[in-house]
Amino acid sequence: MDEVPILIATLYSPTSSPETTHQIQLRLQQVQQSEQAWSFIEPLLNSPDTNQRFFAASTLTSKISNQWDTLPKDHHDPLKLSVLNWLSRSAIQAYAAQSAGERPVLRKLATAVALLSMRIFEQWSDWLLDVILRVVGAGASREAVMTILSECVETFARADLVGSRRVAYLGTLTSATPHLVTSLVQSLSSDNIPEINEALSCFTCMLQSGLIHHQELSTLYPNLLPHLSNPALVTRACSAVEEIIDRSTSAGGTGLTKFMTRMRTNEIVSGWVTSPWVAQVIQEAFAEEDAGDEAVAVMRLICSISEVYISYLFEPRPPSAPPTLTFTSPETSTFFHLLVAVTTFPGHNSESYNINEMTNGAWMALQEESSDVGLVFGSGPGREGRSEGREAEWPVIQHTFSALAEGLRQRATRPLSSETSSWPKDIHDAFRVYRSTVISETILYAYYALRESLLANLVELAQRQLSQQGELNDLEATLFCLYSIRDGVLDDENVHLPRLFSSSILGRLPSEGFTQLRSSALYLVGQYSTWFSAHPEEGLQAVSFVVPALSTPELAPQAARALRLLCTSNRKALGQHVGSFISVLGGLEGKVEEDELIKVLESVASVIQGLPPDQFVEPLLTLTVSVIARLQDAINLNAQNPTDSRTSSLQQLAYLTACARGLADPEDELVFDADTSLDEPSAQRVLTSAALADARVVDMRSRLAVAVEGAANLWASDVEVAQALQEFITASSSDVNPSPLGLDALILLSLAVKSLQSSLSPVWLALATSLVERLSRSRSDSQMTDQEVALVGAPIEAALSAMLSTYSDLSAMDEHPDVVTAFLGFCHAIVRHFPRVLAALPNHLDAILRFGERGLGMQERFSIKATIDLLVISVQQTRMASPSAKTFGEVLVPHLRTLLGSVLTAIAGAVPRSQLASLSELLFACVLRFPDDTRAHFHDLMSTPSWPTEKCTSEVKLKFEKTILGARSGKIVRSAVSDFASVARGLDGTAYGAQSISIFD
């Protein structure tokens, strides 16, 4: 006790060094955690030094929260009386003149009394009323009372109380509600600004905690509204009303649903939102291009009100209801004008962009409600409100969304380079993100309302802006808006888009300089790539615009992307120009970045893929033969120059991968015709078969196989080369239709396993897994002959032997979780697709199961998940009607006891709770497939004292055992596992545990 005041004084001394401060903090934390800390709380709280009192109050809070069991029960009542006395004394001091330093102490003591009430509320049911009466009786101000109430309610909201205890404790707060409401009304009606602010904060806390219901709110709500127009109170008042609206409109409104009735909403719109005071606040913020806390609070509340108000505008008014605001009311036009103002609030900083984003929900609601009643641009009978008798409302909607679209276009306009040149990187990034998210999303709502009229206006504006001088930033913003509305524009649009992509607009854009403008135009072309498939003339115009940009380093990424999208969407239309594309490709090598050249390669390959059979082979060979030759040359160079050899090989493999992706059938596996036989050859299969049979293609594929094998043998332990090979093989073997660049899957599997034996890399394992899956697509396990099973099994056996001999203990597995995860995935694929291979290798199957048991003890989450998945599918194999099922059962039974032990240990806490669902599936599979063995082993394991944790009593384990062994559905098992895990992990009865159960369910 003598040491503590000295430590506290030194801690707050301005002369103390950071090292000294840190050491003292550690020492004081040790003091707080000691059992003796209870004894020095009272002496320190009686100290005249504020820092000592704050430390004592913090210690009191910590002890009640974390070390309550260290206080004897006969000290509980004396502590309660002492805390009330300390709280009352602090409440008087905190709001006395020149005593602001006491307020942190008061808040800590208020938190302490709330925590204490949660410990002993069964014996202190009227604790909150006692606190209020004691503090008021001691002479504390209403402001102090509001502070205490706020802290108490916030502490309850953060409390780890669940179930019946939470309900019971909530009852102790509810009993004091009438007195709380009276106190709030008195404080909200006072002339004391600080007191009103405290009352507003207290009200919001109570509302968020569910302590205020419809009846109480009806009393309090009128007392809030006058404060919305007081600059000193508006921030907290807006937060309070905003919370009311949020709870009124949400499903979990805690008794407040629909509190914001049509009448109340109309009153706040006409009485406050459209008032001169609000207009002045926003005008001043606009003039200064800076919104203070008050202006932000006002704009946020307007946005909260907007969605409620919009919904009422579209709802029919009951016949008996008094007149209300409508679309044609002046207040409604003013309201929408304010929303546009908030959406277009000026300034280029994160604060301004956040303000602009506030209205997104309002515009979405207005657009959706408008569309539902036909308030959409158009000449048809169901447009512009004609079918609903809303013709008078259409001008309001049209004017509002037109103003919104123009405002957004102006906000999208990039400032002149003289201004942006001084922007820091974070502002550049913020502007880019703001345009691509907020503006793009919001202007799309305007398009859905204005439709062709907005498209026509933007195209017309773009043509006019082409004649402007200077940086053309306005034109760039217009093109960006056209880019943003693409999702709403139909591909059959034949009026305005042909004009946009004709020589009169796209063809007139600068071909040099103006990087930002050309970049946006390239994005625009790529965005509308599918539209060009029905407009080949405009498509060629687009290609003519894109290709020159490939030679400009700043534009090459955008140009390559646009070309790839154009070619992918228009491969048949552009097929007649494939020779020109290949010529362009030859001229780009060495002039553009490799990443961009790869995209162009993929684009050209996609055009070749769309060619008819008689025109396919020649361009295919022109594109690929030289790449394969350069790959082989690079491999041959290794003896003389290993570095250049490796670099060039990686480059050529990337090119081959791009070619393989481009040659993939874009419709592969996307469309399935139930009336078509799987054996009936599709047009793509016919094309592929014809191409593969061509002698020149056979020679090309032979050379490719030699080059791929050479790269794999040469750099088996090189992760980057292995990754490049995996990407190529995956790209060339992912189609149902064989790729011209695809190689035999079994040969590739043998190659991958050979490389795996040289280097146990997750890349080779992942490749082997994909090849196993590829093999299963061509011929299933049940269809294969014994000889074919043996052929597939040979490389699989080699891979299993290499892995299982190296990773034979848990420590080795924990050191390489990426390899283990990949191997588990490989084993999973074998069990799923080729169980007969493992049935022929029972010793390897046994080793895999032992590997899986060890895997449940790993620390890495993905490895654990892969382990469980493998064990589940292995157990499930025993129910299959196949010769391998018997072998799987015979191998599994000896492992069952250790497997169940590992599973139960994992459920009890050895693995993260996120895996409980998978563990329950594994447990249920064991019960179903091996009921007698599981019952015997389960009972023996559950009979082990203090196992799997000491928290599991005999009663808990017996209940768990009966539930699991008697379960008839996976849902029952999941629920039992969740309950058992909560007890075993010490989470039973906690909010944390309850939350995990709800997520698990």
PDB file of all heavy atoms in Angstrom, residues 348-361:
ATOM      1  N   HIS A 348     -12.430  16.987 -52.111  1.00  0.00           N
ATOM      2  CA  HIS A 348     -11.763  15.749 -52.477  1.00  0.00           C
ATOM      3  C   HIS A 348     -10.934  15.266 -51.295  1.00  0.00           C
ATOM      4  O   HIS A 348      -9.734  15.503 -51.183  1.00  0.00           O
ATOM      5  CB  HIS A 348     -10.886  15.952 -53.723  1.00  0.00           C
ATOM      6  CG  HIS A 348     -11.696  16.162 -54.964  1.00  0.00           C
ATOM      7  ND1 HIS A 348     -12.468  15.180 -55.525  1.00  0.00           N
ATOM      8  CD2 HIS A 348     -11.890  17.272 -55.729  1.00  0.00           C
ATOM      9  CE1 HIS A 348     -13.074  15.644 -56.603  1.00  0.00           C
ATOM     10  NE2 HIS A 348     -12.745  16.910 -56.748  1.00  0.00           N
ATOM     11  N   ASN A 349     -11.625  14.597 -50.391  1.00  0.00           N
ATOM     12  CA  ASN A 349     -11.007  13.989 -49.224  1.00  0.00           C
ATOM     13  C   ASN A 349     -11.946  12.885 -48.739  1.00  0.00           C
ATOM     14  O   ASN A 349     -13.110  12.798 -49.159  1.00  0.00           O
ATOM     15  CB  ASN A 349     -10.753  15.020 -48.115  1.00  0.00           C
ATOM     16  CG  ASN A 349     -11.988  15.848 -47.804  1.00  0.00           C
ATOM     17  OD1 ASN A 349     -12.983  15.324 -47.302  1.00  0.00           O
ATOM     18  ND2 ASN A 349     -11.948  17.144 -48.121  1.00  0.00           N
ATOM     19  N   SER A 350     -11.457  12.053 -47.869  1.00  0.00           N
ATOM     20  CA  SER A 350     -12.255  10.906 -47.431  1.00  0.00           C
ATOM     21  C   SER A 350     -13.522  11.338 -46.709  1.00  0.00           C
ATOM     22  O   SER A 350     -14.562  10.670 -46.808  1.00  0.00           O
ATOM     23  CB  SER A 350     -11.413  10.004 -46.519  1.00  0.00           C
ATOM     24  OG  SER A 350     -10.909  10.732 -45.407  1.00  0.00           O
ATOM     25  N   GLU A 351     -13.476  12.475 -45.987  1.00  0.00           N
ATOM     26  CA  GLU A 351     -14.664  12.942 -45.286  1.00  0.00           C
ATOM     27  C   GLU A 351     -15.778  13.300 -46.274  1.00  0.00           C
ATOM     28  O   GLU A 351     -16.938  12.923 -46.074  1.00  0.00           O
ATOM     29  CB  GLU A 351     -14.329  14.159 -44.406  1.00  0.00           C
ATOM     30  CG  GLU A 351     -13.445  13.853 -43.209  1.00  0.00           C
ATOM     31  CD  GLU A 351     -11.984  13.711 -43.578  1.00  0.00           C
ATOM     32  OE1 GLU A 351     -11.610  14.042 -44.733  1.00  0.00           O
ATOM     33  OE2 GLU A 351     -11.203  13.235 -42.725  1.00  0.00           O
ATOM     34  N   SER A 352     -15.426  14.018 -47.334  1.00  0.00           N
ATOM     35  CA  SER A 352     -16.432  14.388 -48.340  1.00  0.00           C
ATOM     36  C   SER A 352     -16.988  13.145 -49.038  1.00  0.00           C
ATOM     37  O   SER A 352     -18.199  13.044 -49.275  1.00  0.00           O
ATOM     38  CB  SER A 352     -15.818  15.336 -49.374  1.00  0.00           C
ATOM     39  OG  SER A 352     -15.444  16.557 -48.788  1.00  0.00           O
ATOM     40  N   TYR A 353     -16.118  12.206 -49.362  1.00  0.00           N
ATOM     41  CA  TYR A 353     -16.580  10.999 -50.041  1.00  0.00           C
ATOM     42  C   TYR A 353     -17.515  10.190 -49.138  1.00  0.00           C
ATOM     43  O   TYR A 353     -18.493   9.590 -49.614  1.00  0.00           O
ATOM     44  CB  TYR A 353     -15.396  10.143 -50.474  1.00  0.00           C
ATOM     45  CG  TYR A 353     -14.443  10.845 -51.432  1.00  0.00           C
ATOM     46  CD1 TYR A 353     -13.096  10.524 -51.479  1.00  0.00           C
ATOM     47  CD2 TYR A 353     -14.904  11.838 -52.289  1.00  0.00           C
ATOM     48  CE1 TYR A 353     -12.221  11.154 -52.356  1.00  0.00           C
ATOM     49  CE2 TYR A 353     -14.041  12.484 -53.166  1.00  0.00           C
ATOM     50  CZ  TYR A 353     -12.701  12.141 -53.191  1.00  0.00           C
ATOM     51  OH  TYR A 353     -11.850  12.783 -54.060  1.00  0.00           O
ATOM     52  N   ASN A 354     -17.231  10.163 -47.842  1.00  0.00           N
ATOM     53  CA  ASN A 354     -18.122   9.463 -46.910  1.00  0.00           C
ATOM     54  C   ASN A 354     -19.491  10.126 -46.856  1.00  0.00           C
ATOM     55  O   ASN A 354     -20.522   9.447 -46.760  1.00  0.00           O
ATOM     56  CB  ASN A 354     -17.499   9.428 -45.515  1.00  0.00           C
ATOM     57  CG  ASN A 354     -16.306   8.495 -45.430  1.00  0.00           C
ATOM     58  OD1 ASN A 354     -16.175   7.571 -46.235  1.00  0.00           O
ATOM     59  ND2 ASN A 354     -15.424   8.726 -44.480  1.00  0.00           N
ATOM     60  N   ILE A 355     -19.516  11.454 -46.913  1.00  0.00           N
ATOM     61  CA  ILE A 355     -20.796  12.173 -46.931  1.00  0.00           C
ATOM     62  C   ILE A 355     -21.562  11.817 -48.198  1.00  0.00           C
ATOM     63  O   ILE A 355     -22.768  11.536 -48.158  1.00  0.00           O
ATOM     64  CB  ILE A 355     -20.555  13.686 -46.834  1.00  0.00           C
ATOM     65  CG1 ILE A 355     -20.031  14.052 -45.441  1.00  0.00           C
ATOM     66  CG2 ILE A 355     -21.823  14.473 -47.146  1.00  0.00           C
ATOM     67  CD1 ILE A 355     -19.573  15.488 -45.307  1.00  0.00           C
ATOM     68  N   ASN A 356     -20.874  11.831 -49.336  1.00  0.00           N
ATOM     69  CA  ASN A 356     -21.534  11.497 -50.599  1.00  0.00           C
ATOM     70  C   ASN A 356     -22.165  10.104 -50.561  1.00  0.00           C
ATOM     71  O   ASN A 356     -23.216   9.875 -51.171  1.00  0.00           O
ATOM     72  CB  ASN A 356     -20.533  11.557 -51.750  1.00  0.00           C
ATOM     73  CG  ASN A 356     -19.931  12.936 -51.953  1.00  0.00           C
ATOM     74  OD1 ASN A 356     -18.811  13.078 -52.417  1.00  0.00           O
ATOM     75  ND2 ASN A 356     -20.660  13.979 -51.595  1.00  0.00           N
ATOM     76  N   GLU A 357     -21.537   9.198 -49.852  1.00  0.00           N
ATOM     77  CA  GLU A 357     -21.999   7.809 -49.830  1.00  0.00           C
ATOM     78  C   GLU A 357     -23.228   7.611 -48.945  1.00  0.00           C
ATOM     79  O   GLU A 357     -23.934   6.602 -49.071  1.00  0.00           O
ATOM     80  CB  GLU A 357     -20.866   6.901 -49.343  1.00  0.00           C
ATOM     81  CG  GLU A 357     -21.127   5.429 -49.516  1.00  0.00           C
ATOM     82  CD  GLU A 357     -19.929   4.577 -49.113  1.00  0.00           C
ATOM     83  OE1 GLU A 357     -18.931   5.137 -48.633  1.00  0.00           O
ATOM     84  OE2 GLU A 357     -19.997   3.344 -49.294  1.00  0.00           O
ATOM     85  N   MET A 358     -23.499   8.574 -48.053  1.00  0.00           N
ATOM     86  CA  MET A 358     -24.606   8.404 -47.110  1.00  0.00           C
ATOM     87  C   MET A 358     -25.949   8.169 -47.790  1.00  0.00           C
ATOM     88  O   MET A 358     -26.814   7.463 -47.269  1.00  0.00           O
ATOM     89  CB  MET A 358     -24.738   9.662 -46.232  1.00  0.00           C
ATOM     90  CG  MET A 358     -23.655   9.877 -45.215  1.00  0.00           C
ATOM     91  SD  MET A 358     -23.988  11.422 -44.327  1.00  0.00           S
ATOM     92  CE  MET A 358     -22.507  11.587 -43.355  1.00  0.00           C
ATOM     93  N   THR A 359     -26.139   8.748 -48.970  1.00  0.00           N
ATOM     94  CA  THR A 359     -27.459   8.729 -49.605  1.00  0.00           C
ATOM     95  C   THR A 359     -27.692   7.502 -50.476  1.00  0.00           C
ATOM     96  O   THR A 359     -28.764   7.377 -51.086  1.00  0.00           O
ATOM     97  CB  THR A 359     -27.625   9.976 -50.484  1.00  0.00           C
ATOM     98  OG1 THR A 359     -26.576  10.001 -51.465  1.00  0.00           O
ATOM     99  CG2 THR A 359     -27.548  11.247 -49.660  1.00  0.00           C
ATOM    100  N   ASN A 360     -26.734   6.607 -50.547  1.00  0.00           N
ATOM    101  CA  ASN A 360     -26.844   5.485 -51.478  1.00  0.00           C
ATOM    102  C   ASN A 360     -28.129   4.683 -51.249  1.00  0.00           C
ATOM    103  O   ASN A 360     -28.836   4.318 -52.193  1.00  0.00           O
ATOM    104  CB  ASN A 360     -25.624   4.568 -51.333  1.00  0.00           C
ATOM    105  CG  ASN A 360     -25.313   3.829 -52.616  1.00  0.00           C
ATOM    106  OD1 ASN A 360     -26.204   3.471 -53.347  1.00  0.00           O
ATOM    107  ND2 ASN A 360     -24.040   3.606 -52.859  1.00  0.00           N
ATOM    108  N   GLY A 361     -28.432   4.395 -49.998  1.00  0.00           N
ATOM    109  CA  GLY A 361     -29.638   3.639 -49.689  1.00  0.00           C
ATOM    110  C   GLY A 361     -30.903   4.357 -50.103  1.00  0.00           C
ATOM    111  O   GLY A 361     -31.879   3.723 -50.534  1.00  0.00           O
TER     112      GLY A 361
END
